[in-house]
């Protein structure tokens, strides 16, 4: 968090410039209602990862396809920038506002302003923690618990295969995400929940790798030395899995065979590892929610009722599917 | 015994030993080394290898601190070094060529030297307080690294670059050899020439040393460049470790680890005397602590707390006042172990 703030401070001036540019050039053109075209204001978190960049691109591309005028701002991981952006959208009288909240709390005031201006709000990817659910129309994003469950289900379904040393016990080590982050907590919960179905499956060690390759590698190095045998590795994102991969190879073991590896995300490097047979299973956490978002935007602008919680369309990949999907993968 | 304990390096050495013993108790095979694919493999090797970047950064930091300064920008500089090298390799025509990797690493280190010159300029010429001067690059540097990598994790495939951290010479990881070589070189330069004394003189009283004819400005400038260079090499090691440049996370908080290593090693933040051996012990202590957490199975939620408690204990042990207080209490209750028993009875 502090890190992100620090990065953000370096870019505040840039962000401010972007915002002011946005305001000055588009300020006069106002609402699209008169010409029948929808104008959407989108306040993105930042560009902190490949996942996020793919997310941004998906939204920009699908807006163009759907004929929606998109006003886009990058908050550089700062809530205040995002609030500024949303206020400027309200002033510009856009038809719909969408954003991925940087943090969960502190949105009530600005969302109330949007509500009073009769501009519907759609949340994407991350939720806000507010008692007043009338402040936004819907929340479009992944369910991290379901992702964890899908990962756990794979171990249950492939129990025989996953028991690499054939001792009847499936020893799992887990690389957790950033301690306290929603995806880390929820994916862990989902995984534990799904693997309850088979008492032979046991998480023998679990430690945070901070969602980074370096963290994943270092923790896995120690796991490989402290655990007598590891059957399965569950890494809560691709990057930690990729780091762990190197540790496993350095230990003279074959990832994907001696240790089965399950990860979440399905970014390009992870999919490559899966296609190469080094990962066994990836649960997708898709950033490509642009098309769904545009559909929703059209619906809420037309005044139709939408579900308050909508899941991103996501899938899972095994090695064969990864090989097939890799050439057309967008991120 | 008292003589041994009064040696400035006794306490960091004891702390390191205790930590290793804790690990062995938790995992009896902790010291076990075996040959794997023609190189040594074991927890101790991990500690040395993963401790190499911290050691390098801490070496640069030791000299900076000895001049009464501090360099907060090393983490960001490490990230920039990794970013420059990886983007350069990934963008070149022949990604897997050794010459590409060497050119990219040279470029990355050159960039780091320039950043060091900038830090030195702010501190030595403009006279800005070191903590503020280097804070500029600490915050801006990561943004710069993000700009270089375009906010992406840049993955590279180059066998030479991979060897910087995963390579072995005579069964020993290259990263350790590089770090120890820099340590050796620094030791020779500062202890066998007058340079070390001059650095200490500047740290104790810059004005007095200037009046005595020491070119304190040049000395200060040099230590910041050296610190940035060390951070650059560390950054290359970190990037090489995963064959990727992660501008967001590479070298994150390594400046704090380095400062901690320096302090544990007995170098005073007030400047003046410094100990390179102490820094080595401090860096190894931090690397061991990192391995200890997963080794003894501390849950993720409490691992920062665990680290904090251990570090506080070590700092207390080092403080003469805290030790004196402990000694007095011991005299009051000659058998501290039996005291609670009595109370219970």
């Amino acid at each position: 968090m502090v890190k992100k703030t620090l990065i953000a401070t370096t870019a505040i001036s840039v962000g401010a410039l972007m915002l002011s540019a946005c305001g000055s050039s588009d300020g006069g053109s106002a609402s699209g209602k008169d010409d029948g075209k929808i104008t959407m204001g989108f306040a993105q978190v930042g560009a902190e990862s490949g996942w996020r960049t793919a997310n941004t691109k998906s939204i920009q591309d699908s807006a163009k396809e759907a004929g929606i005028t998109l006003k886009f701002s990058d908050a550089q991981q700062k809530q205040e920038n995002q609030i500024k952006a949303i206020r400027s959208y309200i002033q510009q009288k856009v038809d719909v506002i969408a954003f991925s909240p940087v943090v969960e709390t502190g949105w009530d005031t600005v969302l109330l302003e949007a509500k009073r201006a009769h501009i519907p709000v759609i949340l994407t990817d991350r939720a806000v923690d507010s008692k007043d659910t009338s402040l936004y129309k819907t929340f479009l994003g992944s369910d991290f618990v379901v992702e964890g469950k899908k990962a756990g289900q794979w171990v249950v379904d492939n129990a025989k295969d996953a028991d690499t040393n054939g001792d009847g016990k499936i020893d799992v080590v887990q690389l957790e995400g950033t301690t306290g982050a929603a995806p880390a907590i929820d994916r862990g919960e989902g995984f534990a929940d799904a693997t309850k179905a088979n008492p032979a499956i046991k998480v023998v060690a679990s430690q945070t790798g901070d969602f980074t390759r370096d963290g994943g590698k270092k923790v896995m190095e120690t796991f490989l030395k402290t655990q007598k045998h590891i059957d399965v590795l569950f890494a809560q994102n691709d990057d930690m899995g990729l780091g762990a991969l190197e540790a496993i190879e350095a230990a003279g073991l074959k990832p994907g065979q001696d240790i089965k590896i399950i990860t979440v995300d399905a970014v390009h490097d992870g999919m490559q590892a899966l296609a190469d047979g080094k990962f066994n299973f990836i649960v997708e956490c898709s950033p490509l929610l642009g098309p769904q978002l545009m559909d929703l935007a059209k619906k809420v602008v037309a005044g139709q009722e939408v579900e308050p919680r909508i899941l991103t369309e996501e899938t899972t990949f095994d090695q064969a599917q990864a090989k097939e999907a890799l050439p057309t993968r967008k991120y | 015994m008292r003589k041994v304990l009064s040696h400035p390096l006794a306490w960091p050495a004891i702390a390191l030993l205790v930590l290793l013993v804790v690990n062995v108790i938790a995992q009896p095979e902790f010291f076990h080394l075996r040959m794997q694919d023609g190189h040594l493999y074991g927890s101790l090797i991990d500690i040395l290898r993963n401790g190499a970047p911290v050691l390098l950064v801490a070496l640069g930091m030791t000299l900076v601190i000895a001049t009464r300064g501090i360099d907060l920008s090393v983490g960001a500089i490490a990230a920039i070094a990794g970013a420059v090298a990886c983007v350069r390799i990934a963008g070149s025509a022949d990604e897997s060529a050794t010459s590409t990797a060497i050119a990219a690493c040279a470029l990355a280190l050159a960039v780091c030297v320039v950043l060091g010159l900038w830090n030195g300029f702010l501190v030595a010429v403009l006279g800005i307080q070191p903590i503020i001067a280097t804070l500029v690059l600490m915050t801006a540097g990561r943004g710069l690294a993000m700009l270089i990598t375009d906010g992406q994790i840049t993955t590279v495939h180059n066998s030479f670059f991979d060897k910087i951290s995963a390579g072995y010479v005579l069964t020993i990881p290259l990263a350790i050899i590089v770090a120890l070589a820099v340590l050796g070189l620094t030791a020779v330069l500062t202890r066998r020439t007058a340079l070390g004394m001059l650095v200490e003189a500047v740290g104790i009283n810059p004005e007095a040393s200037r009046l005595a004819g020491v070119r304190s400005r040049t000395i200060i400038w040099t230590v910041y460049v050296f610190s940035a260079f060390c951070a650059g090499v560390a950054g290359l090691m970190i990037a090489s470790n995963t064959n990727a440049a992660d501008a967001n996370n590479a070298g994150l908080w390594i400046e704090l680890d380095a400062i901690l290593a320096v302090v544990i090693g007995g170098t005073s933040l007030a400047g003046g005397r410094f100990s390179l051996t102490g820094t080595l012990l401090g860096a190894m202590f931090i690397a061991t602590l990192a391995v200890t957490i997963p080794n003894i199975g501390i849950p993720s939620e409490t691992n920062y707390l665990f680290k904090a408690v251990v570090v506080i204990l070590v700092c207390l042990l080092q403080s003469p006042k805290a030790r004196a207080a402990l000694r007095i209490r011991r005299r009051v209750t000659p058998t501290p172990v039996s005291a609670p028993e009595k109370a219970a009875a």
Side-chain angles (χ1 to χ4, degrees), chain A residues 163-180:
Chain A
D163 185 13
T164 54
N165 64 344
D167 64 350
K169 279 186 292 190
I170 299 168
D171 296 320
V172 182
V173 294
Q174 177 173 247
L175 291 171
E176 302 163 29
T178 312
T179 309

Side-chain angles (χ1 to χ4, degrees), chain B residues 67-88:
Chain B
T67 64
R68 213 189 267 187
I70 200 144
D71 188 350
L72 297 181
S73 67
V74 284
I77 291 178
I80 291 173
V84 169
C86 286
V87 167
R88 182 83 186 176

Side-chain angles (χ1 to χ4, degrees), chain A residues 268-297:
Chain A
H268 182 272
D269 288 348
M271 288 293 277
Q272 186 67 54
L274 185 61
D276 294 346
K278 291 176 174 178
F279 282 179
N280 298 80
F281 190 65
I282 298 184
V283 179
E284 187 185 38
C285 177
S286 174
L288 308 180
L289 41 76
Q292 271 179 296
L293 176 62
M294 297 309 149
D295 280 351
L296 275 173

Side-chain angles (χ1 to χ4, degrees), chain A residues 10 48 207 221 225-226 269, chain B residues 46 49 139 155 248 295 298:
Chain A
T10 68
E48 75 277 14
Q207 182 60 240
E221 277 173 353
K225 276 143 205 145
T226 50
D269 288 348
Chain B
D46 283 353
R49 210 187 63 229
T139 51
T155 311
N248 264 319
N295 191 41
I298 306 267

Side-chain angles (χ1 to χ4, degrees), chain A:
Chain A
M1 194 60 220
V2 179
K3 161 200 74 185
K4 288 187 174 161
T5 326
L6 288 177
I7 299 163
T9 48
T10 68
I12 280 186
S13 50
V14 182
L17 273 176
M18 276 171 54
L19 280 181
S20 58
C22 191
S24 59
S25 61
D26 300 316
S29 64
S31 166
K33 262 173 197 159
D34 28 322
D35 56 3
K37 230 177 151 194
I38 297 174
T39 307
M40 173 191 274
F42 190 88
Q44 181 61 287
V45 176
E48 75 277 14
S49 63
W51 192 97
R52 189 63 66 190
T53 319
N55 182 240
T56 300
K57 204 168 172 308
S58 163
I59 289 162
Q60 288 170 336
D61 289 352
S62 48
K64 211 175 274 170
E65 255 169 53
I68 291 177
T69 314
L70 183 72
K71 291 174 190 294
F72 185 87
S73 78
D74 183 332
Q76 308 280 355
Q77 278 94 23
K78 278 206 129 181
Q79 183 177 28
E80 60 187 77
N81 288 350
Q82 240 176 356
I83 290 177
K84 266 187 224 158
I86 294 170
R87 289 219 166 106
S88 97
Y89 293 147
I90 296 173
Q91 276 167 10
Q92 295 171 45
K93 302 196 180 81
V94 297
D95 299 302
V96 54
I97 292 173
F99 76 112
S100 297
V102 175
V103 291
E104 284 194 341
T105 51
W107 299 103
D108 291 28
T109 319
V110 71
L111 291 184
L112 203 62
E113 284 168 31
K115 192 182 171 186
R116 284 194 189 127
H118 302 288
I119 299 174
V121 173
I122 302 172
L123 304 178
T124 64
D125 170 45
R126 301 187 189 182
V128 299
D129 188 11
S130 171
K131 283 188 189 100
D132 186 359
T133 51
S134 74
L135 291 177
Y136 56 91
K137 291 285 174 203
T138 178
F139 166 35
L140 169 68
S142 311
D143 186 332
F144 301 128
V145 177
V146 170
E147 287 170 0
K149 276 188 185 158
K150 283 181 187 166
Q153 194 56 42
W154 186 87
V155 186
V156 175
D157 293 345
N158 297 275
K160 198 171 246 177
D161 199 29
D163 185 13
T164 54
N165 64 344
D167 64 350
K169 279 186 292 190
I170 299 168
D171 296 320
V172 182
V173 294
Q174 177 173 247
L175 291 171
E176 302 163 29
T178 312
T179 309
I185 298 168
D186 293 351
R187 284 175 191 164
E189 256 178 39
F191 186 81
D193 205 31
T195 48
K196 250 187 250 161
N198 186 344
I201 303 170
K202 198 177 157 209
V203 177
V204 289
S206 182
Q207 182 60 240
T208 175
D210 282 323
F211 279 140
T212 65
R213 293 190 192 188
D214 200 45
K217 182 173 182 181
K218 281 179 181 155
V219 174
M220 193 64 195
E221 277 173 353
T222 312
F223 280 168
L224 284 163
K225 276 143 205 145
T226 50
Q227 301 302 325
K228 286 209 172 55
H229 181 80
I230 299 171
D231 291 304
V232 176
L233 162 68
F234 172 46
Q236 290 180 358
N237 78 344
D238 283 343
D239 281 322
M240 289 191 293
L242 288 165
L245 202 86
E246 300 202 11
I248 293 170
E249 280 174 344
L253 298 170
K254 277 212 174 77
Q257 292 177 25
D258 298 328
I259 295 177
K260 305 284 175 188
I261 303 177
I262 312 163
T263 69
V264 184
D265 267 2
V267 297
H268 182 272
D269 288 348
M271 288 293 277
Q272 186 67 54
L274 185 61
D276 294 346
K278 291 176 174 178
F279 282 179
N280 298 80
F281 190 65
I282 298 184
V283 179
E284 187 185 38
C285 177
S286 174
L288 308 180
L289 41 76
Q292 271 179 296
L293 176 62
M294 297 309 149
D295 280 351
L296 275 173
K298 283 179 185 165
K299 277 186 192 159
V300 293
V301 171
Q304 293 176 26
E305 276 301 307
V306 290
E307 290 284 317
R309 176 80 174 93
I310 294 167
L311 292 181
T312 329
E313 282 157 16
E314 286 167 342
T315 175
T316 56
F317 295 97
D318 61 20
Q319 291 172 346
Q321 287 163 329
K323 266 183 210 151
E324 216 169 278
L326 201 56
T328 57
R329 212 61 188 152
K330 285 194 185 152
Y331 59 100

